[in-house]
Amino acid sequence: MAKNLYESLGVSKTASQDEIKKAFRKLAIKHHPDKVAKDADAATQKHNEDKFKEMNEAYTVLMDEEKRRQYDAYGTYDNNAQQPDMSSMFADMFGGGTPDMGFFSMGGHPDQTFKMFFGGGGQHTGPQQPSQDVIEVKVSMTEIFKGVTKKVEFDIVDRCSGCQGTGAKGPGDVITCLTCHGQGSVPQQVGPFMINQNCPSCNGRGQVVKQHRQCAVCNGERARFVKRSFDIRIPQGVPHKHMHRMEAKGSFDIRKNCYNDMVLVFSHDIPEQYTIDYSRNNVHMTIDVKLEELLCGFVKEVDIYGEPLNLHSKGYFDPSKDIVVRNKGFPYYKRKDHGDLVIKCNILFPEREEKFSKYHSIFMTMFKVAAVEAPPDAVCVN
Ligand SMILES: [Zn+2]
Ligand SMILES: [Zn+2]
């Protein structure tokens, strides 16, 4: 591979597994087939496909501790080792999400993503992933403060309406798989053992579609990405990473013949001028205060979460102390009260010319100080 695996995912050599997962998810969305215009030229589509393969390969190696060690030590890895198991990879990333797993995207190459729903590719040992789509919904400060209902749109996988999920033109076009005789698996010698592998001809379904009789709508894929929009209620003060489950509103699972649950994970989208202390629901921000304002008082209109708030100082105050506005911080979930707004002052000192021409004499008078006498060997700082 021409490219360094870390570069492929845009992460550093010391990246944690979480960082690698995050970087992969970001790329998976970027190279989502829907993001490439349908009429994009072949070169663009090819580039997207190559990029997707490259990031899959990097992800598979770097998420495997043994392979990553080998790669770090020798710069190589076992390329013949199994291909990325996309079904478990996507199920892992997007299927059984926990709040910390972050978000869901129906990203990736359709063929590969579909396997997740149809159970093709890779062996599924152990318990199945819970059937749920986990989707991140970003919520703004204003939405968190007011509580709103908003429309959001997701891509989900739905059963193809052209063939009702059979993948064939007509009911007679689905036949028993000749490779596995409908079993869905074939025995294979692995060392001294015989184990049952997913049948490669039918991907474990036991049935295949007759040649040239694929459904024209989905090309035999049996499912399609569709856009669904939902009106979602964002409760006031909704906590960061709060989860909301909507039963049977997710993607269609053809194997189980039912719709997955959709799990929304509300994620706070906080502008950079604010930081939140979630332990007290306090909102921290900084304002600029000129030296003369600090000394002589001011009225300042500051913008808090899209609403104006007037701050008034009658005279000198100690800038090392924060200004605390009670009950103007983050709203508590399912309560009426808020945390506090905590404002730090950033003192702006006057420019040099101003200092001498204007403020110097004012301050001299104000503080009743005499001109400074310095010893002849003192170093002058201005
Ligand atoms: Zn179809
Ligand atoms: Zn088969």
Side-chain angles (χ1 to χ4, degrees), residues 177-185 199-208:
C177 171
L178 293 176
T179 310
C180 64
H181 307 288
Q183 296 303 304
S185 60
C199 170
S201 306
C202 62
N203 265 337
R205 288 169 57 207
Q207 293 183 317
V208 288

Side-chain angles (χ1 to χ4, degrees), residues 160-165 167-168 215-220 222:
C160 169
S161 55
C163 60
Q164 297 308 316
C215 163
V217 179
C218 64
N219 233 346
R222 303 193 285 151

Side-chain angles (χ1 to χ4, degrees), residues 188-195 197:
Q188 200 178 2
Q189 185 92 32
V190 177
F193 306 107
M194 288 295 279
I195 58 166
Q197 293 274 33

Side-chain angles (χ1 to χ4, degrees), residues 85-142:
D85 176 3
M86 295 304 294
S87 61
S88 68
M89 182 149 88
F90 275 94
D92 173 35
M93 301 191 71
F94 302 137
T98 65
D100 286 340
M101 282 278 297
F103 59 92
F104 166 95
S105 157
M106 299 303 300
H109 192 281
D111 292 348
Q112 289 158 329
T113 311
F114 284 177
K115 284 180 188 168
M116 165 184 157
F117 297 97
F118 307 152
Q123 287 165 274
H124 288 272
T125 50
Q128 278 191 339
Q129 292 288 336
S131 298
Q132 58 186 27
D133 299 347
V134 182
I135 293 195
E136 183 194 43
V137 177
K138 283 201 186 298
V139 287
S140 71
M141 291 280 265
T142 312

